[in-house]
Amino acid sequence: MKVLPGCNEVEASAYCACVTFQEQNNSSGNPFTGGGTRRRATTGQARLIIALLVVLIVVVATVGAWLIWGGGGDDDSVTGPVAASSSAAPETESEAQPEIDSVALLENAGVQSVNPAPVPESVKAWGDYVKNRSWSGMLRVFEGQDATPVTNDDHSRFPASMNHCGVAMYLVTFRSVNENVLLDAELLNAANNIDASLTLSDGWILTTNCDTPQFRFNSSTDISNLGDVAYDVTEYRQSSVANPVAPEAESAEEPAASVAEPAASVAEPAASVAEPYVVECLQGVPGPAQWSDGTVAYAEECASTPEAQQSIRADGLCGGRYAPEDVSREEFEAICNRAPVYPPEDAS
């Protein structure tokens, strides 16, 4: 025990004991209250270790996330935006495609023609023709077999003849159900001659009432040796007026026409227009002619030409299965381009 100066041992016992206890508590060897400097050093080291551990955890988490979502070269997250942009390009291109002018396609097509896409719609009217009726059907073609014709709406023979050709026009749109099968789309006249033909898998035909549309198996890129053809037929009848208006549009325009009627009557003397005339008779079938106003319509004078009379004669001779008895073999072969077949009883 340490004795303070000026105190005897007895008097200072209590006070000196207290001082001695406090000195012991402040000593560096006391595990409870002593060693303040060492305690501060230990706390700083612990904080440093914890900080290093936190940094290590963050680094490991970052590397793991990069490996999972950003490190794979074939990952969808990397190629996703590129794929999305590339897939969006066709949609933009399709939206930018111009709208099909069906009336212009029909008016500019040949009178008897087989055409590829684009395919016109079944409009109400075009040129001087008005829609009369329409129907749909399906037929089958076989490899190595004859062509299969389109039928009427009641599955009877297609309404084609050699009389007054051009009074009716037919729009036939078609497609091969099996895209691997190519078709020969043809127009056959009454003399069994092909007026138009084209090889394709889908398209459209425009013809007068003088030809029959038919299809033939051409080829296939798979093992198919037959094919189905789906088709839609629209029949147009020639109108008695130029630039006919569909019935729906005509009824809608009646009020405006009644209002404008007085003005039209006033201008009538100055509105005289020369009657259209026949520019030329179209070859191949009797009746249709090219008129001066740009239309194609039936003309009586084109039905009485020598060529037209020969076509009408061919219609009567070649349209049946057997040759008429009053026609010689030479005449039949010259007109129909095939040998005559007589009924069994007259075969001798």
Side-chain angles (χ1 to χ4, degrees):
M1 178 179 67
K2 183 178 181 180
V3 181
L4 297 176
C7 296
N8 57 33
E9 184 175 353
V10 176
E11 293 176 354
S13 61
Y15 177 78
C16 294
C18 180
V19 173
T20 303
F21 177 76
Q22 290 181 354
E23 290 179 350
Q24 291 176 351
N25 287 342
N26 292 331
S27 63
S28 58
N30 193 318
F32 299 99
T33 61
T37 303
R38 180 183 300 175
R39 184 173 66 252
R40 286 192 299 269
T42 303
T43 302
Q45 292 177 356
R47 290 178 179 176
L48 179 60
I49 293 173
I50 292 173
L52 292 176
L53 290 175
V54 171
V55 172
L56 181 61
I57 292 172
V58 171
V59 172
V60 171
T62 303
V63 173
W66 182 83
L67 291 176
I68 294 174
W69 290 292
D74 297 333
D75 198 347
D76 293 340
S77 62
V78 177
T79 59
V82 178
S85 60
S86 62
S87 62
E91 295 180 0
T92 305
E93 293 176 0
S94 61
E95 292 176 358
Q97 290 181 355
E99 185 178 355
I100 298 174
D101 189 346
S102 299
V103 174
L105 285 176
L106 293 170
E107 292 180 346
N108 295 329
V111 176
Q112 286 155 318
S113 60
V114 182
N115 310 278
V119 177
E121 296 180 356
S122 177
V123 296
K124 297 294 184 181
W126 61 275
D128 58 349
Y129 290 93
V130 177
K131 183 177 179 180
N132 182 50
R133 60 176 178 143
S134 60
W135 69 93
S136 302
M138 184 174 291
L139 57 85
R140 176 164 290 182
V141 293
F142 298 89
E143 184 178 11
Q145 300 295 323
D146 293 336
T148 305
V150 174
T151 60
N152 206 337
D153 55 356
D154 59 354
H155 304 290
S156 61
R157 182 176 175 269
F158 190 81
S161 68
M162 296 302 296
N163 299 321
H164 302 288
C165 297
V167 297
M169 295 289 289
Y170 293 92
L171 168 64
V172 183
T173 61
F174 64 90
R175 67 176 180 87
S176 175
V177 177
N178 184 354
E179 297 180 353
N180 296 319
V181 174
L182 284 177
L183 307 169
D184 285 334
E186 303 172 343
L187 284 174
L188 182 71
N189 60 28
N192 291 326
N193 295 323
I194 303 298
D195 288 333
S197 177
L198 190 64
T199 301
L200 67 178
S201 61
D202 63 283
W204 57 287
I205 296 172
L206 185 64
T207 180
T208 66
N209 54 310
C210 300
D211 278 29
T212 298
Q214 63 181 18
F215 298 95
R216 192 186 307 271
F217 185 99
N218 179 277
S219 61
S220 175
T221 57
D222 56 20
I223 61 174
S224 300
N225 58 359
L226 57 85
D228 292 325
V229 182
Y231 62 86
D232 296 306
V233 182
T234 303
E235 180 186 76
Y236 293 93
R237 287 287 175 177
Q238 192 175 33
S239 175
S240 59
V241 295
N243 299 323
V245 180
E248 295 82 354
E250 185 177 358
S251 61
E253 293 177 359
E254 283 180 0
S258 62
V259 174
E261 186 175 354
S265 62
V266 174
E268 186 175 355
S272 59
V273 180
E275 291 291 333
Y277 57 90
V278 175
V279 176
E280 62 174 343
C281 296
L282 299 180
Q283 300 296 324
V285 293
Q290 182 74 44
W291 291 75
S292 59
D293 59 357
T295 61
V296 175
Y298 176 81
E300 187 66 33
E301 59 189 88
C302 293
S304 58
T305 61
E307 294 81 3
Q309 294 300 316
Q310 183 178 0
S311 297
I312 295 174
R313 176 67 170 163
D315 184 34
L317 293 180
C318 311
R321 180 179 180 183
Y322 298 109
E325 298 179 0
D326 58 344
V327 179
S328 65
R329 176 181 293 271
E330 291 77 11
E331 181 182 4
F332 187 89
E333 291 178 350
I335 295 176
C336 301
N337 297 322
R338 63 183 177 89
V341 177
Y342 297 99
E345 58 271 18
D346 296 336
S348 59

